[in-house]
Amino acid sequence: MSRLESLTVGRVVGEVVDAFTPSVRMNVTYNSDNQVCNGHELMPSTITARPRVEIGGDDMRAAYTLIMTDPDAPGPSDPYLREHLHWIVTDIPGTTDASFGREIVGYEIPKPIIGIHRFVFILFKQRGRQTVETPASRDHFNTRKFAEENGLGLPVAVVYFNAQRETAARRR
């Protein structure tokens, strides 16, 4: 299954973003050894620190905006806070990682309480260095609307993972 197909099967394409053509490589890794792969589960205990987000591309002069959201907040059966915003970094130079960008919404650790949540990383190519508006709230964030209001267009890369609350029985 291709990356784009797995995004469609996971309802990321449709619920969070429109169909797009991936054109930039993006690797997201927690704790240097937990790489984010579409639909794979990561335990909350392994995602307590900000991830390393490496961006490919072929032009160091290109700038990117990274968004991380949870479209299943507070729970997948009734996601009335959809989407919950976890992170926004802008002005990330191509061929580097998100630590070189400008963080406009600080990283919030994923803490799923009810059910299995999808945590989605969306990468947009900016038209150049630009001012991106800071959202008023983390709750009820809308990736499509944010991209439209800031002239970002369609994503160039998207990846997501699943996570659910760790119970005593699952922590072995």
Side-chain angles (χ1 to χ4, degrees):
M1 185 180 316
S2 75
R3 277 190 169 196
L4 198 55
E5 287 173 328
S6 60
L7 292 170
T8 302
V9 169
R11 300 179 336 274
V12 171
V13 169
E15 290 184 10
V16 180
V17 297
D18 293 323
F20 70 101
T21 302
S23 59
V24 174
R25 181 184 49 80
M26 175 174 65
N27 290 318
V28 180
T29 310
Y30 280 92
N31 301 323
S32 74
D33 63 347
N34 290 305
Q35 183 163 352
V36 173
C37 297
N38 288 335
H40 290 204
E41 183 173 356
L42 294 177
M43 303 305 278
S45 59
T46 66
I47 54 177
T48 58
R50 179 184 330 193
R52 178 174 173 84
V53 180
E54 296 172 306
I55 297 167
D58 52 11
D59 186 356
M60 183 70 169
R61 295 168 297 183
Y64 296 90
T65 292
L66 174 71
I67 297 171
M68 178 187 177
T69 71
D70 174 1
D72 300 315
S77 62
D78 184 20
Y80 64 85
L81 297 177
R82 173 177 291 166
E83 301 164 48
H84 182 78
L85 179 62
H86 280 269
W87 198 23
I88 297 180
V89 183
T90 65
D91 297 329
I92 305 166
T95 70
T96 122
D97 69 74
S99 65
F100 291 96
R102 187 170 62 92
E103 189 175 67
I104 65 167
V105 175
Y107 181 75
E108 180 180 88
I109 298 168
K111 294 179 184 169
I113 296 175
I114 302 167
I116 299 171
H117 289 243
R118 296 165 292 164
F119 293 94
V120 185
F121 294 88
I122 307 111
L123 187 69
F124 294 95
K125 186 173 183 178
Q126 297 173 198
R127 293 179 309 225
R129 301 282 188 230
Q130 67 187 71
T131 301
V132 174
E133 295 297 318
T134 303
S137 169
R138 288 184 185 261
D139 291 330
H140 307 290
F141 181 79
N142 185 303
T143 298
R144 286 183 184 96
K145 184 178 175 189
F146 180 83
E148 183 180 319
E149 289 172 350
N150 289 284
L152 296 171
L154 290 173
V156 294
V158 176
V159 66
Y160 81 101
F161 68 93
N162 294 324
Q164 60 184 311
R165 180 177 176 195
E166 290 182 61
T167 60
R170 294 188 68 208
R171 287 191 188 191
R172 296 181 185 171

